[in-house]
């Protein structure tokens, strides 16, 4: 039952992580929880970063990448949960979402190994023959371990931030809180509605680098949303923009007319992964999303205009001609 305004205070909590910031808007009738909640949320996000960051040499991800093929490695349950989801989306997206593109990410200068593209590394990564990640990596979740059946360099940047938001949601549940909006970069999750009953209004960003503007607004109630695009992290090589998202099927950065894809899902981990998958899929992603019942919004660059296509609750979305100019 919605609470009255006199019962509720809104906590605004945030902190640094993963090269960006996490944030939480929490409706509560006990503001004394703020200090403990701030620490618990920060700890939850940092645990994900410690396990899944490609930038931390001793992360579980990097230990797995260094482990030779054919050798079982014990891993924490959190990264095994993320790897299981990543392999599931890899299979269902027909390889569009690919956690096995770590070598490409590094070669193009988007990882910790180098700050700019390396032509020799790009050639090696492009020519490397590889089976799908879901066939190369085997998980034994019950035993808490994983094994690579062939060399593969894993990268979880297309899913780990969404999972971190889900871990924040778990913290709030443990505190008995169930009205909040949680965010990390472009991934957000609403725990139910606001305490007084209204849904949480979140913006879909206009996909243009150097500009912060709202393209449209989505109302969330017990739902997650994630956006993947080519306009926030990229390299400019002459007149060519190189997106940071890699297409493992082509062994190259994504190149299509999709500016961004926004996906709704019950949990943020899957919203994050599917937004990446549909960005990589290009025009094929619309049929894929429709076949799987995924609700998604595409912002497309066509004929010097921004065109909008949507499925599910986004199906009524129309391009604003003023914003398309």
């Amino acid at each position: 039952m919605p609470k009255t305004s006199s019962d509720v205070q809104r906590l605004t909590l945030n902190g640094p992580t993963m090269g960006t910031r996490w944030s939480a808007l929490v409706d509560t009738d006990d503001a004394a929880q703020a200090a403990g909640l701030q620490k618990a949320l920060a700890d939850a996000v940092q645990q994900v970063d410690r396990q899944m960051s490609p930038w931390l040499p001793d992360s579980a991800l990097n230990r797995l990448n260094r482990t030779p093929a054919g050798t079982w490695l014990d891993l924490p349950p959190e990264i095994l949960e993320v790897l299981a989801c990543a392999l599931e989306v890899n299979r269902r997206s027909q390889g569009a979402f690919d956690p096995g593109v770590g070598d490409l990410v590094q070669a193009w200068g988007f990882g910790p190994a180098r700050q700019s593209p390396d032509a020799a590394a790009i050639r090696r990564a492009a020519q490397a023959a590889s089976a799908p990640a879901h066939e190369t990596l085997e998980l034994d979740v019950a035993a808490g371990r994983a094994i690579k059946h062939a060399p593969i360099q894993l990268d979880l940047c297309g899913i780990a931030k969404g999972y971190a938001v889900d871990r924040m949601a778990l913290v709030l549940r443990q505190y008995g809180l169930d009205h909040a909006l949680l965010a990390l970069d472009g991934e957000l999750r609403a725990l139910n509605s606001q305490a007084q009953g209204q849904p949480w209004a979140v913006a879909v960003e206009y996909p243009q680098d150097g500009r912060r503007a709202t393209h449209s607004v989505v109302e969330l109630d017990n739902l997650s949303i994630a956006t993947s695009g080519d306009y926030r992290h990229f390299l400019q090589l002459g007149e060519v923009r190189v997106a940071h998202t890699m297409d493992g099927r082509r062994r190259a950065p994504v190149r299509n007319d999709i500016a961004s894809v926004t996906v709704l899902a019950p949990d943020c981990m899957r919203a994050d992964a599917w937004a990446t998958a549909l960005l990589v899929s290009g025009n094929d992603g619309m049929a894929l999303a429709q076949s799987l019942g995924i609700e998604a919004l595409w912002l497309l660059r066509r004929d010097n205009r921004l065109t909008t296509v949507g499925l599910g609750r986004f199906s009524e979305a129309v391009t604003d001609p003023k914003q398309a100019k």
Side-chain angles (χ1 to χ4, degrees):
M1 181 177 179
K3 299 179 180 181
T4 64
S5 57
S6 60
D7 296 328
V8 175
Q9 296 185 58
R10 175 159 296 172
L11 305 179
T12 302
L13 309 172
N14 63 81
T17 188
M18 302 182 190
T20 181
R21 297 187 72 82
W22 62 267
S23 65
L25 300 177
V26 184
D27 287 349
T28 178
D29 54 10
D30 183 7
Q33 293 177 310
L37 191 56
Q38 170 81 26
K39 183 179 185 305
L41 290 171
D43 288 347
V45 173
Q46 291 307 317
Q47 181 189 49
V48 175
D49 194 31
R50 284 194 304 270
Q51 291 189 22
M52 304 176 209
S53 172
W55 300 84
L56 299 177
D58 293 329
S59 69
L61 174 69
N62 280 327
R63 287 193 288 111
L64 180 57
N65 280 334
R66 289 193 299 267
T67 299
T71 302
W72 284 101
L73 176 68
D74 292 338
L75 290 170
E78 294 81 10
I79 192 171
L80 284 168
E81 182 180 359
V82 173
L83 287 169
C85 180
L87 297 182
E88 172 200 343
V89 179
N90 175 247
R91 177 181 57 80
R92 298 185 74 196
S93 68
Q94 300 166 17
F97 180 82
D98 190 352
V101 294
D103 55 343
L104 284 167
V105 172
Q106 299 289 354
W108 281 93
F110 292 109
R114 56 183 59 86
Q115 300 302 309
S116 59
D118 180 284
I122 289 170
R123 282 194 299 272
R124 288 195 299 271
Q127 294 167 2
S130 61
H134 68 270
E135 296 178 4
T136 304
L137 182 66
E138 179 184 349
L139 307 179
D140 185 345
V141 175
R145 61 182 188 166
I147 187 171
K148 299 182 293 186
H149 294 297
I152 187 173
Q153 289 294 301
L154 297 158
D155 184 287
L156 297 176
C157 290
I159 190 172
K161 287 180 180 178
Y163 179 71
V165 174
D166 290 335
R167 297 296 293 182
M168 292 166 64
L170 180 61
V171 168
L172 291 184
R173 296 290 195 198
Q174 292 169 343
Y175 270 71
L177 298 166
D178 53 10
H179 296 283
L181 181 66
L182 308 167
L184 202 169
D185 216 5
E187 287 68 57
L188 299 94
R189 178 168 175 171
L191 283 186
N192 299 306
S193 64
Q194 299 180 53
Q196 295 177 38
Q198 309 97 319
W200 298 94
V202 303
V204 175
E205 195 171 55
Y206 186 90
Q208 182 174 325
D209 53 289
R211 173 183 176 185
R212 290 279 183 174
T214 297
H215 173 273
S216 50
V217 174
V218 183
E219 293 186 334
L220 301 182
D221 186 337
N222 205 30
L223 198 61
S224 297
I225 188 169
T227 298
S228 289
D230 68 354
Y231 59 95
R232 193 61 66 213
H233 305 292
F234 60 89
L235 291 172
Q236 194 71 38
L237 301 179
E239 296 184 357
V240 178
R241 171 184 291 188
V242 179
H244 77 291
T245 303
M246 298 293 149
D247 184 345
R249 304 165 306 176
R250 295 176 46 249
R251 303 296 295 169
V254 169
R255 290 196 69 179
N256 56 41
D257 61 1
I258 298 177
S260 69
V261 184
T262 298
V263 169
L264 296 175
D267 63 86
C268 206
M269 173 171 63
R270 284 174 175 79
D272 194 6
W274 278 109
T276 302
L278 297 181
L279 176 68
V280 173
S281 294
N283 292 335
D284 295 337
M286 297 173 195
L288 175 65
Q290 195 163 31
S291 71
L292 296 173
I294 295 173
E295 297 183 283
L297 174 71
W298 287 261
L299 302 184
L300 310 169
R301 295 190 182 96
R302 291 179 176 171
D303 301 322
N304 297 316
R305 293 173 58 87
L306 192 67
T307 302
T308 304
V309 179
L311 291 176
R313 71 197 70 193
F314 291 118
S315 59
E316 301 300 320
V318 241
T319 299
D320 180 344
K322 295 179 181 177
Q323 292 181 327
K325 290 180 181 178

